[in-house]
Amino acid sequence: MDFFPIFLKLQQQPCLVVGGGEAALRKARLLAAAGARLQVAAPALAPELAEMAGRGELTHLAGAYAAEQLRGQRLVVAASEDDELNRRVARDAEALGVLVNVVDDAEASRYITPAIVDRSPLMIAIASGGGVPVLVRMMRARLESLIPGAYGRLARFAAGFRERSKQRFPDVDQRRRFWEDALEGPLADAVLNGHEEQAAAEMERRLAGAGPETVGAVYLVGAGPGNPDLLTFRALRLMQQADVVLYDKLVAPELLQLVRRDAERVYVGKARANHALPQDDINQLMVDLARQGKRVLRLKGGDPFTFGRGGEEIATLAENGVAFEVVPGITSASGAAAYAGIPLTHRDYAQSVTFVTGHKQDGSIALDWPALTRPQQTVVVYMGVSTAAELCQAFIANGRAAATPAAAVEWATTARQRTVCGTLSTLPGLMASHGIASPALIIVGEVVELADKLAWYRRSENSAVTIQED
């Protein structure tokens, strides 16, 4: 171990930064955030350092560095732009027994500053001994994506019960099992979602000797348009905690690989007039599983509240007193348009955008055609592959020009993405000849003209944008 990891309590402790430039500013920000009584020694200060001095967050020791400035300091940072000066500061600090860090010089430093994932009071520090800072930044970015910001709230909540848990469970192993159970599952979720009173009541119950309540919950999670990189942090965490996963046809197979391996998986996919489970049965299944104490993940393509029947499902859960949470996802229209290079709005082409389903519950396409055929707007049609020919004819019959640009985007944002572009008169034939199938969206409007210029997602021949004209 080249460096001993340690966390220092610096509130109201004297600390010195030598240097007034950008490197000094970065270190000063960290020390100020830790509550240090900060001094900065430099002939002049960078603008933000000067502002900090003006706000009383630091004291400016104007003029040249002097070794006397080190006396009484807890920590010293040598951050000037003069390497020789930095080394002199390090030698002087060593002579006085003061801990010193020299920016970008681990060899001359007595301590180094790690990269920090701040979920105060939960803190994670990462270091490579000063040798590979890029790797450290990569690791920090990965941890930032895996650890929700609300974990600081959970840490504070748990700390409030620490002493009582010691009294209740003198045995270390019992206490460890108690906290492992408390910090995963519904109690922790309640804290993370801001329901601390509810969580505190459950914690009181457990400390009084009751076991965890076997109360389940349902999480309606938007899986986004298909690319796993577009999942929210919250969605990914719930996918890895669920006991049972109910998923449909629009959930890309790659996403299921992220679900907890031992979770039960139930396919409840629906296509036009072909439902693996009727909607009412899906609703009741969620209720039954939650009442068994299971954490149920209802994984839905796109966003649960955009043509995902999420409102119907949570209405049933609410009627039956089942706890639930809705986690939004990137709706398929946004993902498809972005990856196909088709802006949904554009000052020169479209001032509004409308999302519409390709058919009603009875299978008809008796939609609000006067509203859908207004000029200067983009229309995105969900679930319109099977009725593409009828839809395009209806657009034309209700006033849209046959030459209006139109596109279909299949498996948007994934490696299998394909886009065919044409017009209202040619798109159905192009979709048929290219074998475009669900899941796919249809986009109608002048913005489609921009696809050839703006399409950036061409990962392979199979995912290349296909532009077809009349």
Side-chain angles (χ1 to χ4, degrees):
M1 192 187 310
D2 294 330
F3 288 87
F4 180 73
I6 188 171
F7 289 86
L8 294 176
K9 188 175 183 180
L10 291 179
Q11 285 89 346
Q12 292 305 308
Q13 297 301 301
C15 296
L16 175 70
V17 175
V18 178
E22 288 299 315
L25 172 61
R26 290 194 297 271
K27 299 297 186 180
R29 285 179 185 143
L30 288 173
L31 291 169
R37 195 166 73 246
L38 183 60
Q39 295 178 311
V40 176
L45 299 180
E48 190 172 335
L49 279 172
E51 291 173 9
M52 292 175 68
R55 294 192 297 266
E57 297 172 13
L58 61 85
T59 300
H60 181 203
L61 304 180
Y65 158 77
E68 284 298 314
Q69 295 167 340
L70 302 179
R71 295 190 180 279
Q73 303 290 347
R74 288 284 191 182
L75 287 182
V76 172
V77 179
S80 78
E81 297 176 359
D82 183 338
D83 291 342
E84 179 52 39
L85 173 59
N86 289 341
R87 289 284 180 130
R88 181 155 64 91
V89 173
R91 290 192 298 270
D92 292 344
E94 284 287 301
L96 292 171
V98 178
L99 292 176
V100 62
N101 168 254
V102 180
V103 173
D104 293 331
D105 191 345
E107 183 181 345
S109 299
R110 181 56 58 185
Y111 77 92
I112 59 174
T113 305
I116 299 168
V117 178
D118 187 356
R119 301 289 186 268
S120 295
L122 178 66
M123 302 287 289
I124 301 170
I126 313 147
S128 65
V132 195
V134 172
L135 179 60
V136 171
R137 287 197 296 270
M138 290 170 60
M139 294 301 298
R140 176 190 173 191
R142 184 167 298 183
L143 289 172
E144 289 277 9
S145 70
L146 294 175
I147 303 171
Y151 260 50
R153 184 188 306 148
L154 182 60
R156 286 191 295 273
F157 174 86
F161 290 91
R162 183 184 179 196
E163 291 303 319
R164 290 184 57 194
S165 73
K166 285 183 176 180
Q167 297 169 12
R168 175 69 180 81
F169 302 103
D171 180 77
V172 173
D173 288 338
Q174 284 185 328
R175 190 161 65 246
R176 175 181 54 79
R177 287 192 292 271
F178 169 81
W179 280 114
E180 285 176 348
D181 183 70
L183 296 176
E184 284 193 312
L187 189 152
D189 281 339
V191 177
L192 294 174
N193 289 326
H195 305 306
E196 293 189 41
E197 290 185 7
Q198 172 189 332
E202 171 62 10
M203 184 65 84
E204 294 286 356
R205 218 181 59 79
R206 296 188 188 191
L207 288 171
E213 287 187 300
T214 56
V215 177
V218 177
Y219 303 94
L220 272 70
V221 173
N227 188 330
D229 288 346
L230 300 179
L231 284 169
T232 63
F233 298 156
R234 179 67 175 158
L236 181 60
R237 194 167 75 87
L238 291 173
M239 289 168 70
Q240 295 172 345
Q241 292 181 354
D243 300 310
V244 184
V245 179
L246 309 183
Y247 67 98
D248 58 38
K249 181 182 179 182
L250 299 180
V251 174
E254 297 88 342
L255 295 171
L256 290 176
Q257 301 302 313
L258 301 176
V259 169
R260 200 177 91 192
R261 290 188 177 183
D262 59 343
E264 181 184 354
R265 303 181 187 190
V266 181
Y267 176 67
V268 293
K270 297 185 289 295
R272 189 185 184 196
N274 180 21
H275 294 185
L277 277 182
Q279 186 63 52
D280 288 345
D281 290 354
I282 296 173
N283 297 351
Q284 189 59 48
L285 179 60
M286 289 190 294
V287 172
D288 293 343
L289 290 169
R291 284 177 172 169
Q292 294 170 23
K294 296 183 183 294
R295 290 173 290 187
V296 183
L297 182 77
R298 177 67 172 104
L299 194 59
K300 303 168 108 25
D303 179 80
F305 278 8
T306 306
F307 303 120
R309 300 187 180 178
E312 300 172 38
E313 293 180 354
I314 64 172
T316 300
L317 299 173
E319 289 168 5
N320 286 273
V322 173
F324 63 86
E325 177 183 340
V326 181
V327 180
I330 295 176
T331 188
S332 299
S334 296
Y339 274 60
I342 302 173
L344 293 177
T345 61
H346 190 287
R347 287 189 298 175
D348 297 331
Y349 297 95
Q351 282 69 57
S352 65
V353 59
T354 298
F355 298 166
V356 64
T357 182
H359 53 79
K360 291 189 173 181
Q361 190 169 1
D362 61 7
S364 73
I365 60 166
L367 307 176
D368 185 0
W369 290 108
L372 296 178
T373 53
R374 290 195 302 263
Q376 297 291 297
Q377 76 165 332
T378 305
V379 177
V380 182
V381 183
Y382 287 69
M383 297 170 283
V385 173
S386 62
T387 57
E390 300 165 78
L391 287 166
C392 289
Q393 289 171 9
F395 271 106
I396 295 169
N398 285 277
R400 270 296 216 171
T404 300
V409 187
E410 177 189 60
W411 283 109
T413 76
T414 73
R416 290 172 288 173
Q417 175 177 313
R418 292 190 299 161
T419 305
V420 294
C421 298
T423 65
L424 285 174
S425 63
T426 64
L427 186 64
L430 292 170
M431 291 174 64
S433 63
H434 286 274
I436 298 297
S438 182
L441 295 179
I442 295 172
I443 304 175
V444 177
E446 283 70 19
V447 289
V448 173
E449 294 179 5
L450 298 170
D452 192 26
K453 181 191 302 182
L454 303 182
W456 56 273
Y457 187 62
R458 294 180 171 92
R459 293 177 55 181
S460 69
E461 285 300 317
N462 290 333
S463 65
V465 174
T466 304
I467 303 295
Q468 298 284 350
E469 302 295 344
D470 287 334

